[in-house]
Structure formats: structure tokens, C-alpha cells
Amino acid sequence: MSAAAIFLVVNFFIGLCFSAVFAVVSIYSRWRSVALLFSAGLFIASLTMLSELGVAYAENPTPWAMAAYGTVLAGLVLLHWGVSVLYDRPFPKWFAIGVFLAGMAAYLVVLDLPRSWWGYGFVYQGPYALVTLSAAGNVFMSKRRTAMDRALATVLVVSGGHFLVKATLAAVMGPGSTASAYVSTNYAVVSQSITAVLIVAVGLMLLAVLTLDIMAVERGRAEHDSLSGLANRRGFEVAVKREINRPGERHHAVILCDLDHFKSINDTYGHHVGDMVISAFGTMIAAQVADDAIIGRIGGEEFAVFLPETSPAMAVVVAETLRIGARTMIVSGLPGGSVVTASFGVAALPTKGNLETALRAADVALYSAKRGGRDCVHRARELAA
């Protein structure tokens, strides 16, 4: 078996392994259709390696040669499709079909051209290059601008450009006098070795993009409270610390809220109604505060609101608005005329201040409100002056 044939076998298994990995990733990623497109594209493209062996050793190489060309093109179209969906770029199905048919038409033109002609490789490799470079263009034109996205676009540009490089090498080194002779040429060894490197590079970059997305989703779940739709304590603290570490002299405020007599609501009407109260309260807070506020459910019936660049006096006004909002909530599980109340504690958070300290101060004010009769707003001692 020639060196090129060995590379064909190796590349086939590389493509097969990446296809299997993306099939597994599709189970866990929210981009399930994208991962499946990548898996299908790599699987189909890997079949070209077996087709090339058929070209070299079968008695009738023509159908194998057509399969070799078509599987690569179909695989690239599917990868382009997946990239387009991932980066929210248009790629209608009819366009995918049209690109594939146009590429196959170009291949049929190549069949009638002498393989020794210098332009043979460019006609042959041109559709591959166009599809891959178009995928790179979709990444560059998308709204996503992370370092990983730029790296993927760069790898796709290199991958698209390599088809033109191979066309040049074919003109210089010769692709073989016949399709069957290709596997025995030095050009085939160089071509398949480059292909091996780029399969790994593109596969790893696509896998990295989807893996980072999975990690981001899982991180979001870890910082999200599904019942209220707000951040949980961890998510709240992460978001607030990110905000207070921004440059500039800025003073903030925090509000702690606690639903009054919540245990009696659960005991009287059941935990399902208690969950409805929690959800309604979280929705009310989100509707009443400014868009730049950070809201979290940090305990069973306890909520926190961070108000960036807000004075203590204004924070008290916001807390009073929330107190009134709680009283006017309508929760379907509660009998008519039922009123839900909440108590509030307000504290300042100075520039580069400590969030934990501010939360403790607000907590003291909150329990002062509880002891003072509930359904009221109390300020931390340093704000009372």
C-alpha cells in the first residue's frame, strides 16, 4: 500500500472519530441540529477516503471518482450549513442543494479536461474553496466576536485557501495521468497529509466552539433560579461583583426583601401556591426596577436587588415601590382579597465596597423591619442619619 493510501485510511478514521464526537455532543448541546450537521458532514466527507481507494484499486474507477468528489462537497456543504445556523446566518435548504449541484456540474466539466492542464486543479478544487471560504465569511459577519470565533474563522480561511494551494501543487507536481494513478503520486502524499492536519484543526475548532457554549449554558444554569426566573445567590453575587469592579467612582445601593408570613402561606395553601407567590414576586420586582438593576433570589423567600449608581434616598423610594407592588399582586392560587406583604432592608454599597458587608447591613435593616411590624422599609444604620 502506498503512502498516500495509508494517509487515506488514517484520514478516514480521523473524520469518523470527529463525527462520533459531534454526535455525542449533540446530546448535551442546545445546538443539537448544529452538532448533528457537523457530525453528518464529517462522516460523509470521510467517505471520500474510501472512495479514493476504490478509484485506485477498482476495475471501473469512474463511479468511485464521482463518489470521492461528491462526498467531500456534500460534507463541506453540511459543515457550512451548521456554521450558518450556529452563527445565525442565512443558509436556506435550496441554497445547500444548489451549491452541491453546481459543484457536481463543475466536476463533470473536469472529467472532459486533460489532467495535465494547469487549470485542472482550480476547476476541481474551486467549489471546495468557495464553500469553505463562504462559511468563514459567515463567521466573520456574525455578531459573535469572541477570540474563539475569530480563531474558527481564521482556520476556515486557511482551510478554504488550502484547496487553492492544492490546485497549484497539482499543476506543479501533477495529479497523475488518470484518476487511478493519483494515489501513487507524490502530490497525493502531500495533499492527504495537508488534509489530515486541517481535518484535525477544523474539527477541534468546531468542537471547542460547541464545548464552550455547553459550558456557558451550564454556568448559566448554575447561576439561575428556575422558580423565580432570576439569578440565584451565586449568580447575583457574580454579577454584582463584576459591576462594582468596573472603573470609576460610583456609589450603589442594595435592597433585601423578605416575604412576610411565607411559611403560613405554604402551610395553609400548599407549596404549589407558595411557589406561585415566589414566581409572582420575582416577576413584580423585575417589572418595577430599572433595566440595569441586578435581581436575585438568594434564599427561600428572600430576594436581593442591586441598584447601580443609585443614592440611598432613591433606593428607599424603589423599596417602597416594591412594597406597594407586593400588596397589589394577584396570585391565582390565593383566595380573593388575600394580600401578600414583604419587608425590606436598604444599605449603601460604596465604590469598590464589599458586597458581603453591604448585604449584612441590609439584612440587619430587614430584620429591624420584621420586628417593627413587617410590610415596611427600614434603612441600615449608616443611612438613617
Side-chain angles (χ1 to χ4, degrees), residues 346-366:
V346 178
L349 180 53
T351 304
K352 305 301 180 185
N354 185 278
L355 175 60
E356 288 73 19
T357 300
L359 288 175
R360 282 196 297 270
D363 192 52
V364 171
L366 170 62

Side-chain angles (χ1 to χ4, degrees), residues 107-338:
Y107 174 73
L108 293 176
V109 172
V110 168
L111 287 179
D112 296 326
L113 297 176
R115 294 174 65 87
S116 58
W117 177 52
W118 67 269
Y120 175 89
F122 291 96
V123 178
Y124 187 98
Q125 304 283 353
Y128 297 163
L130 287 175
V131 172
T132 310
L133 293 174
S134 179
N138 274 350
V139 179
F140 277 123
M141 291 186 291
S142 73
K143 296 179 181 179
R144 295 172 52 161
R145 293 287 188 274
T146 67
M148 186 59 68
D149 297 322
R150 292 194 295 270
L152 172 61
T154 301
V155 169
L156 288 173
V157 168
V158 173
S159 182
H162 107 280
F163 290 114
L164 302 179
V165 171
K166 290 206 294 189
T168 303
L169 290 175
V172 174
M173 303 176 68
S177 57
T178 64
S180 300
Y182 161 78
V183 76
S184 302
T185 64
N186 291 331
Y187 165 71
V189 176
V190 174
S191 175
Q192 292 304 318
S193 60
I194 295 174
T195 299
V197 173
L198 288 173
I199 289 175
V200 172
V202 173
L204 287 177
M205 291 305 304
L206 293 173
L207 184 60
V209 170
L210 289 184
T211 301
L212 288 176
D213 183 76
I214 292 172
M215 292 171 62
V217 170
E218 291 303 316
R219 185 167 58 249
R221 288 175 179 169
E223 298 175 357
H224 180 78
D225 174 56
S226 59
L227 178 57
S228 66
L230 305 173
N232 59 17
R233 186 180 192 97
R234 176 185 173 185
F236 176 79
E237 291 178 351
V238 168
V240 171
K241 289 177 181 178
R242 186 187 305 120
E243 180 67 24
I244 63 179
N245 286 330
R246 288 172 55 192
E249 293 292 323
R250 301 177 306 136
H251 294 269
H252 318 292
V254 292
I255 303 172
L256 282 187
C257 333
D258 191 90
L259 289 164
D260 297 329
H261 305 296
F262 184 73
K263 184 177 184 300
S264 66
I265 294 176
N266 276 336
D267 293 342
T268 304
Y269 304 107
H271 288 279
H272 174 65
V273 174
D275 289 347
M276 294 174 68
V277 172
I278 291 288
S279 178
F281 190 63
T283 300
M284 183 275 296
I285 295 175
Q288 295 289 344
V289 300
D291 291 340
D292 60 351
I294 300 171
I295 316 165
R297 181 189 174 202
I298 61 174
E301 65 270 21
E302 191 173 29
F303 294 75
V305 182
F306 170 78
L307 301 172
E309 301 184 59
T310 301
S311 67
M314 183 56 66
V316 171
V317 172
V318 172
E320 285 288 354
T321 301
L322 297 179
R323 184 186 69 82
I324 296 171
R327 294 184 60 85
T328 58
M329 288 191 316
I330 298 176
V331 182
S332 60
L334 294 176
S338 298

Side-chain angles (χ1 to χ4, degrees), residues 50-74:
L50 300 182
S51 300
E52 290 284 8
L53 292 175
V55 172
Y57 301 112
E59 291 185 6
N60 181 11
T62 301
W64 291 100
M66 293 187 67
Y69 190 86
T71 49
V72 173
L73 186 58

